[in-house]
Amino acid sequence: MPTIMTHTAVPISFWIAFGNKFIPWRLLLAGILFSILPDADVIAFKFGIPYEDDWGHRGFSHSILFGFSLSLLACVLVRWFRARIEVVLLFLCVSIVSHGVLDAMTSGGLGVGFLIPYSSERFFFDQRPIRVSPIGIKNFLTERGLSVLKSEWSTVWIPLLSISVSFFFLRTLARWIATRVGGNKNGKK
């Protein structure tokens, strides 16, 4: 799995790209939580549930059905999020499903159960450039942990931040052009 920090790259990048008016702070924080939430399934190990089980690590909590259902349920808080319902649903769904997508790009594990409960098959992508992260802070503070961070930085953070910052600048440029061409809000040019 990628590190917990890297799972947050997707909602953060969307927020940079689309801005606070489209994705308010409360929704951003929920998106960050949703992006890391699927890994709460590691608690299954404490209950003796094996990794490869549908309820094990990278199982149901990483499925598209789980992501969509939880995002749909979160729409009851649409007023609290201060965003349109379709934005809440789409942003949270992308944030949580991105977790499994990033996991399917790692070099280790048993794959991701995207289709659970309909199929117990686990999936990896053909290209798996992200080094799998060791579990536990003690294991992470090693040379292996540093190599994981390097792989995540080059394959996740740099591309996502490059795209999102580009969108930010295009959005800013479009707004600047609109004020120059359309005049100010009082109708004066």
Side-chain angles (χ1 to χ4, degrees), residues 98-162:
S98 73
H99 185 106
V101 170
L102 290 175
D103 280 359
M105 295 172 63
T106 62
S107 61
L110 299 178
V112 178
F114 287 119
L115 303 178
I116 293 172
Y118 306 107
S119 169
S120 295
E121 186 177 357
R122 301 285 184 116
F123 298 89
F124 274 119
F125 293 133
D126 289 338
Q127 299 298 316
R128 299 183 343 193
I130 302 171
R131 302 259 335 244
V132 70
S133 177
I135 296 175
I137 192 73
K138 180 182 172 186
N139 295 328
F140 188 76
L141 296 175
T142 63
E143 190 172 321
R144 180 173 167 221
L146 184 58
S147 71
V148 168
L149 288 176
K150 286 179 184 177
S151 76
E152 291 177 352
W153 183 249
S154 63
T155 60
V156 179
W157 284 101
I158 290 175
L160 285 178
L161 289 176
S162 298

Side-chain angles (χ1 to χ4, degrees), residues 1-17:
M1 70 183 163
T3 61
I4 195 169
M5 290 102 43
T6 293
H7 281 298
T8 68
V10 173
I12 290 170
S13 294
F14 270 86
W15 179 77
I16 291 169

Side-chain angles (χ1 to χ4, degrees), residues 41-87:
D41 66 5
V42 296
I43 198 165
F45 294 133
K46 299 283 186 196
F47 294 105
I49 298 171
Y51 189 127
E52 64 276 1
D53 191 272
D54 283 357
W55 297 101
H57 186 51
R58 291 187 177 177
F60 180 69
S61 69
H62 287 59
S63 72
I64 295 167
L65 177 65
F66 177 78
F68 178 74
S69 300
L70 197 59
S71 301
L72 192 60
L73 181 62
C75 285
V76 300
L77 299 173
V78 68
R79 285 190 176 170
W80 185 80
F81 288 132
R82 298 181 180 158
R84 295 189 341 244
I85 193 165
E86 61 272 15
V87 172

